[in-house]
């Protein structure tokens, strides 16, 4: 079921604004959202499920500072043979530390982020990925400085 932001209801827009900027940290967050937008908890849960099914919401979850937690992380760019990109992307996605990957129209056509428990595990995983059928080159692009900004999309109707 495809849905676009253009045909969202006012309530869905309110829910999206709350989810991305001030998610309630209480035992029943959807009940708190429901109270704020004038719906029932069940209605909010159904609306969020529909937004996820439509693809407008990919995931709801916390964002943690992996380095402060003692993990190693990096951005990786792969040059993959064009006829192997789907297979390589699927294999890369199977690694538990891969948060997401995507294809680009570039010499390095598959990009992903990787988080592991240690620098040694990170290097071992990168070596395994470099050996995947179809991978031509791998660029390990660890962050040297972190400039994190918050991005929220105002879903209020214009």
């Amino acid at each position: 079921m495809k849905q676009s932001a253009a045909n969202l209801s006012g309530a869905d827009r309110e829910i999206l604004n709350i989810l991305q900027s001030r998610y309630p940290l209480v035992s029943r967050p959807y009940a708190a959202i429901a109270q704020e937008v004038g719906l029932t908890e069940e209605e909010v849960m159904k609306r969020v499920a529909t937004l996820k099914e439509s693809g407008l919401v990919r995931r709801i979850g916390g964002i943690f500072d992996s380095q402060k937690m003692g993990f190693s992380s990096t951005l990786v760019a792969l040059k993959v043979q064009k006829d192997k990109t789907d297979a390589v992307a699927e294999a890369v996605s199977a690694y538990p530390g891969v948060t997401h990957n995507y294809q680009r129209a570039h010499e390095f056509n598959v990009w992903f982020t990787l988080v592991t428990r240690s620098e040694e595990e990170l290097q071992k995983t990168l070596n395994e990925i470099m050996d995947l059928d179809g991978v031509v080159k791998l660029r390990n692009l660890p962050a040297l400085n972190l400039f994190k900004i918050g991005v929220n999309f105002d879903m209020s109707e214009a």
Side-chain angles (χ1 to χ4, degrees), residues 67-125:
Q67 288 182 325
K68 284 185 179 178
M69 295 175 67
F71 288 79
S72 296
S73 64
T74 193
L75 173 66
V76 181
L78 296 178
K79 179 178 181 180
V80 179
Q81 296 169 1
K82 288 192 187 325
D83 63 330
K84 305 281 185 169
T85 55
D86 288 344
V88 169
E90 188 175 327
V92 164
S93 291
Y95 282 90
V98 172
T99 61
H100 64 281
N101 71 34
Y102 50 95
Q103 186 173 355
R104 286 185 143 179
H106 186 269
E107 173 187 2
F108 287 88
N109 51 352
V110 176
W111 292 64
F112 61 95
T113 56
L114 175 64
V115 181
T116 60
R117 293 186 183 274
S118 66
E119 197 61 39
E120 296 77 26
E121 185 180 340
L122 186 108
Q123 194 54 58
K124 177 182 178 284
T125 303

Side-chain angles (χ1 to χ4, degrees), residues 20-36:
Q20 66 180 322
S21 62
R22 57 185 195 283
Y23 191 90
L25 298 177
V26 296
S27 62
R28 293 179 52 204
Y30 294 117
I33 294 170
Q35 184 175 9
E36 187 173 338

Side-chain angles (χ1 to χ4, degrees), residues 6 8-11 13 17 154-158:
L8 287 174
S9 72
R13 290 173 183 280
N17 280 336
D154 184 1
M155 299 304 297
S156 304
E157 295 188 62

